């Protein structure tokens, strides 16, 4: 199955880096969409029904990554979307909270193999 | 100076530069580190709150910035200056996010502010910080320093 990915990060440089590593992962990527914060990500998800994977930063203005996942899980149309949270700050507490929301976690910096593992974890293989 | 924190800083800098920029530390016996005071440098700061309050500063020579940014983004051609600075700001952010758990433990939760450029030449981090580390790469000398006041009695991980 090809992936239609939504990459959400308030840093354009980080979005570019995540997309670069995603491209190196060997996964079949059909399309990549970008958003700079959670509110914009919800708009993209409402517009692009083919999106089947989310890679979200945690710390973002307006609507952060954790709240974005809460919104996504509350919306029947997107409730089952596989999500990988990408962050520099990965305390055990935060990772446990994200797991309870059904999101995988990966700490920056990461390479293609680690991203692939996190995506497999999020998608259930 | 806190020696455990210095080791943590050094490890975080090495790991982040290796994984993000594919830059490795020069073997310590290979050459004499350049005098950082003789170089024009950029100083990046990341403030943080949460389990502790403080700031991490990352200093690197101006001459490294273009190479670091290109390596991070996998770009062969020249990048806009703003993109170069965005990239090294993210680098500082990631170093900070990696060193804090090493110092305060994996359960400590921190909120990192957006990284910022605070100086572009002749900044002396000196003794203003609780710990500092220097990592010599082929591309130049990278310095990291941290001031941190932990909220509780949390030790190193």
């Amino acid at each position: 199955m090809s992936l239609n990915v939504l990459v959400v990060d308030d840093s354009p440089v980080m979005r570019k880096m995540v997309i670069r590593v995603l491209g190196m992962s060997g996964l079949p990527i059909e399309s990549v969409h970008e958003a700079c914060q959670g509110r914009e990500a919800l708009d993209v998800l409402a517009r692009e029904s083919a999106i089947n994977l989310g890679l979200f930063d945690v710390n973002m203005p307006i609507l952060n990554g954790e709240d974005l996942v809460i919104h996504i899980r509350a919306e029947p149309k997107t409730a089952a979307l596989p999500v990988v949270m990408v962050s520099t700050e990965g305390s055990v507490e935060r990772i446990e909270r994200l797991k309870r929301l059904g999101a995988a976690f990966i700490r920056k910096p990461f390479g293609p193999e680690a991203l692939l593992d996190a995506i497999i974890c999020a998608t259930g293989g | 100076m806190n020696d455990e924190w210095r080791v943590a800083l050094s490890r975080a800098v090495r790991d982040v530069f290796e994984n993000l920029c594919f830059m490795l530390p020069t073997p310590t016996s290979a050459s004499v580190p350049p005098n950082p005071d003789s170089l024009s440098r950029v100083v990046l700061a990341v403030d943080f709150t949460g389990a502790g309050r403080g700031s991490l500063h990352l200093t690197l020579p101006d001459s490294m910035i273009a190479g670091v940014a290109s390596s991070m983004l996998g770009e062969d051609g020249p990048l806009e200056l703003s993109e170069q600075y965005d990239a090294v700001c993210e680098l500082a952010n990631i170093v900070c996010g990696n060193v804090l758990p090493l110092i305060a433990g994996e359960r400590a939760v921190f909120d990192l502010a957006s990284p910022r450029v605070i100086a572009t030449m002749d900044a002396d981090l000196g003794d203003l910080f609780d710990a500092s580390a220097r990592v010599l790469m082929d591309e130049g000398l990278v310095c990291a320093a941290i001031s941190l006041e932990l909220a509780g009695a949390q030790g190193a991980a």
Side-chain angles (χ1 to χ4, degrees):
Chain A
M1 183 181 73
S2 295
L3 293 173
N4 296 283
V5 188
L6 173 59
V7 178
V8 188
D9 198 306
D10 54 330
S11 162
V13 164
M14 276 315 303
R15 291 201 301 271
K16 207 167 178 177
M17 283 181 54
V18 169
I19 292 167
R20 177 189 177 214
V21 176
L22 184 65
M24 295 161 69
S25 70
L27 289 165
I29 309 297
E30 187 173 316
S31 67
V32 177
H33 305 266
E34 297 181 49
C36 64
Q37 40 87 358
R39 188 64 59 190
E40 188 182 324
L42 291 173
D43 292 341
V44 175
L45 283 167
R47 203 172 56 236
E48 304 287 345
S49 58
I51 290 171
N52 54 7
L53 175 66
L55 303 178
F56 303 161
D57 184 24
V58 174
N59 295 309
M60 294 183 290
I62 304 176
L63 185 67
N64 69 38
E66 208 169 323
D67 290 339
L68 171 60
V69 178
I70 291 170
H71 276 76
I72 285 171
R73 296 293 179 244
E75 169 61 45
K77 190 178 151 195
T78 55
L81 181 73
V83 171
V84 176
M85 303 300 294
V86 179
S87 181
T88 53
E89 198 283 307
S91 68
V92 171
E93 274 182 37
R94 176 164 283 164
I95 294 170
E96 284 171 355
R97 280 206 308 269
L98 293 170
K99 277 184 180 168
R100 284 197 291 274
L101 290 170
F105 177 85
I106 187 169
R107 180 185 283 167
K108 303 170 191 171
F110 56 85
E113 296 85 5
L115 181 61
L116 183 60
D117 287 346
I119 290 172
I120 288 170
C121 178
T123 57
Chain B
M1 286 279 169
N2 184 317
D3 199 50
E4 284 185 15
W5 293 10
R6 181 189 61 74
V7 171
L9 273 172
S10 178
R11 179 178 154 191
V13 168
R14 287 162 189 261
D15 287 351
V16 171
F17 273 78
E18 180 174 349
N19 283 297
L20 272 186
C21 314
F22 311 104
M23 292 179 177
L24 295 168
T26 301
T28 49
S29 59
S31 60
V32 177
N35 177 4
D37 293 335
S38 67
L39 301 170
S40 178
R41 294 173 291 158
V42 61
V43 183
L44 309 147
V46 184
D47 297 329
F48 50 84
T49 55
R53 177 179 295 273
S55 181
L56 176 128
H57 287 196
L58 187 73
T59 307
L60 58 165
D62 277 344
S63 57
M64 268 185 87
I65 294 174
V68 164
S70 294
S71 297
M72 285 174 72
L73 297 174
E75 299 277 357
D76 292 331
L79 295 165
E80 296 284 335
L81 196 58
S82 61
E83 203 167 24
Q84 292 179 25
Y85 275 87
D86 285 348
V88 291
C89 279
E90 285 304 323
L91 193 73
N93 184 253
I94 295 170
V95 169
C96 188
N98 277 261
V99 77
L100 288 174
L102 294 176
I103 289 175
E106 291 285 345
R107 297 206 75 84
V109 180
F110 289 93
D111 290 310
L112 278 55
S114 296
R116 64 192 197 285
V117 179
I118 59 168
T120 54
M121 59 182 297
D122 293 338
D124 183 9
L125 300 179
D127 296 325
L128 298 173
F129 290 82
D130 296 310
S132 65
R134 294 180 172 191
V135 179
L136 180 64
M137 316 270 177
D138 286 339
E139 296 79 3
L141 182 66
V142 177
C143 304
I146 192 166
S147 61
L148 167 60
E149 186 178 343
L150 287 167
Q154 299 173 64

